[in-house]
Amino acid sequence: MDRLRRALARVSGEALGPYQSAVVRIGFAGTWLFFLLREFPHRHELYGPDGPWSRELAERLVAGNHAFTVLLWSGSGWWFELVYGLAVAASALLALGWRTRATSVLFMVGVLSLQNRSVFMGDGGDNVVHLMAMYLVLTRCARVWSLDARRARERGTASAGAAGPVLWGVLGAVLAYGAVSGRLSGGWTAVFAALWTGAALWWLVERYEPEGERRAALDVFANLLHNAGMLVIMAEVCLIYATAGWYKVQGSRWQDGTALYYPLRLDYFSPWPGLSGLLAGSGVVVMLLTYGTVAVQVAFPFTLFNRRVKNVLLAVMMLEHAGIAVLLGLPFFSLAMIAADAVFLPTGLLVWVGVRVAALAGWGPLRGASPRPALSPSPGAAPQTPFLGAPPPDPRASNAGEAG
């Protein structure tokens, strides 16, 4: 019972994995941002009025599957440009960690709106971004390595300033318009209303009762949501690799060790024909890469119980995705998968990388927000350190590093 009590106290009193959630936030926001910028000249063909998937077809599909997209709210060109521009801006701001509660919602809206407008334009990497955009809304992913964390250290709270209330006011007006006009379904209206209400309640309590019981209760609720979101992200990554590996096992080309030969010989997947031809010309290399891919994907979920083996396979998988980006010309798929893998990176490595990046860039220490002490597991117990590797609590700060 004592062990269970301590576990419950930790899950409710700490936002676990702050560095991992920050890397996931930066990774997925950066991946989507780079994709949108690269495809900016082709945006009309991908998601706009010039695409093969017409507005009429999109409306029929959305009416059937009830997917969310604000692009169908209007057929005008300026609306498409506005939504695309906001998707770019939200990705950049989320990567920087500015008003993360609001920008994570805007990021999700941008991803879902563009991808659900033209569902046949994406690949496996887009599906991962699609899912993670929704999961990130649940997390407190700006506790470290973010502008919100810096504001919390410097001004005592990450919600300081008028930008947050103004931003949420605009979002509330858009939500009210979508609900009244019928452009938002009942389910999505409830989701966005809950997010808006939660943000408003957090701001009010943060402003008028920063150290009271209501603030502590909100912290507990936010920690539970964050930890649940991180658990779902980890489970999603394991599910992706497990299903991919076991489906490969059933394929005859994967069984005989020749599966990777065929994409290496396709012009569409050969940005470096000489290198692809060199690898495809070696039967031993192709066999080792084919069997190694299957073995790593099938084994990875089972290695989570052994930290050392997990870290080795994690490095192998990240190198594999880097190889896919170079050899097969799929950089955004690889970036999305590397960002998803980052949820399993050890905290010590992430802290070390942060220190080195800060030193090379000439910045000060890349610290997180100075968080409130975690709730003690029992009355009279000393406050716990909120998370491994984070800076010690600062009495000036009462927020946990995400705002908006």
Side-chain angles (χ1 to χ4, degrees):
M1 289 299 296
D2 289 341
R3 181 177 298 180
L4 177 61
R5 189 182 302 111
R6 288 195 298 269
L8 291 175
R10 189 181 183 197
V11 170
S12 62
E14 301 179 44
L16 302 175
Y19 289 94
Q20 288 80 359
S21 63
V23 172
V24 171
R25 182 198 85 231
I26 296 169
F28 279 103
T31 298
W32 187 242
L33 173 63
F34 294 149
F35 174 79
L36 294 180
L37 292 178
R38 192 194 72 170
E39 300 299 338
F40 186 81
H42 314 292
R43 63 192 184 282
H44 294 141
E45 290 79 10
L46 284 174
Y47 305 113
D50 298 336
W53 192 248
S54 66
R55 176 181 171 83
E56 291 73 20
L57 290 174
E59 288 177 339
R60 289 172 59 185
L61 181 62
V62 168
N65 62 12
H66 306 290
F68 172 80
T69 173
V70 300
L71 278 180
L72 297 181
W73 286 16
S74 173
S76 61
W78 69 266
W79 178 249
F80 170 77
E81 300 294 348
L82 177 63
V83 173
Y84 198 94
L86 287 176
V88 172
S91 302
L93 293 175
L94 182 62
L96 294 173
W98 183 82
R99 304 290 174 177
T100 315
R101 286 198 186 96
T103 53
S104 64
V105 175
L106 285 175
F107 178 74
M108 178 186 70
V109 169
V111 170
L112 299 185
S113 296
L114 293 174
Q115 291 189 356
N116 289 335
R117 168 61 178 83
S118 299
V119 293
F120 299 110
M121 292 296 179
D123 57 19
D126 293 299
N127 293 337
V128 176
V129 174
H130 191 106
L131 293 170
M132 297 302 173
M134 293 185 286
Y135 301 152
L136 280 173
V137 174
L138 303 176
T139 64
R140 308 179 78 172
C141 55
R143 292 175 65 85
V144 297
W145 299 345
S146 69
L147 296 178
D148 287 347
R150 186 181 69 175
R151 188 185 311 109
R153 293 196 309 271
E154 295 177 351
R155 304 181 63 177
T157 171
S159 60
V166 170
L167 184 56
W168 279 104
V170 173
L171 293 177
V174 174
L175 170 63
Y177 170 75
V180 172
S181 64
R183 288 176 168 81
L184 275 178
S185 66
W188 281 106
T189 299
V191 169
F192 289 121
L195 292 173
W196 192 93
T197 303
L201 181 62
W202 187 283
W203 184 83
L204 288 172
V205 172
E206 181 73 20
R207 183 177 179 86
Y208 297 107
E209 195 179 350
E211 297 296 335
E213 293 182 357
R214 293 184 181 88
R215 179 62 170 79
L218 287 178
D219 258 332
V220 170
F221 183 69
N223 289 336
L224 290 174
L225 278 182
H226 168 90
N227 294 329
M230 293 295 289
L231 180 61
V232 170
I233 290 174
M234 290 187 287
E236 189 70 44
V237 175
C238 291
L239 183 63
I240 289 172
Y241 283 119
T243 53
W246 286 110
Y247 271 110
K248 287 181 175 67
V249 168
Q250 302 174 49
S252 60
R253 299 304 181 206
W254 291 95
Q255 291 175 9
D256 61 26
T258 62
L260 292 185
Y261 171 82
Y262 300 98
L264 290 174
R265 302 302 297 177
L266 292 175
D267 293 339
Y268 186 78
F269 292 109
S270 299
W272 310 97
L275 180 59
S276 298
L278 179 64
L279 292 176
S282 173
V284 175
V285 172
V286 170
M287 182 185 67
L288 291 176
L289 290 176
T290 301
Y291 287 150
T293 298
V294 176
V296 168
Q297 291 182 349
V298 171
F300 178 73
F302 300 99
T303 66
L304 299 182
F305 303 101
N306 189 304
R307 181 177 300 178
R308 292 182 179 179
V309 177
K310 180 264 295 182
N311 290 338
V312 171
L313 285 190
L314 191 61
V316 171
M317 289 193 301
M318 288 184 167
L319 290 174
E320 175 189 349
H321 289 305
I324 291 174
V326 175
L327 291 175
L328 302 182
L330 298 172
F332 297 107
F333 166 79
S334 298
L335 284 174
M337 291 309 303
I338 291 173
D341 294 342
V343 74
F344 293 107
L345 288 174
T347 300
L349 174 64
L350 294 176
V351 173
W352 180 85
V353 170
V355 172
R356 295 301 181 272
V357 170
L360 291 175
W363 302 329
L366 287 179
R367 300 174 59 195
S370 301
R372 296 160 56 87
L375 300 181
S376 300
S378 59
Q384 302 172 5
T385 301
F387 41 77
L388 180 62
D394 187 335
R396 299 176 303 165
S398 60
N399 200 1
E402 68 280 345

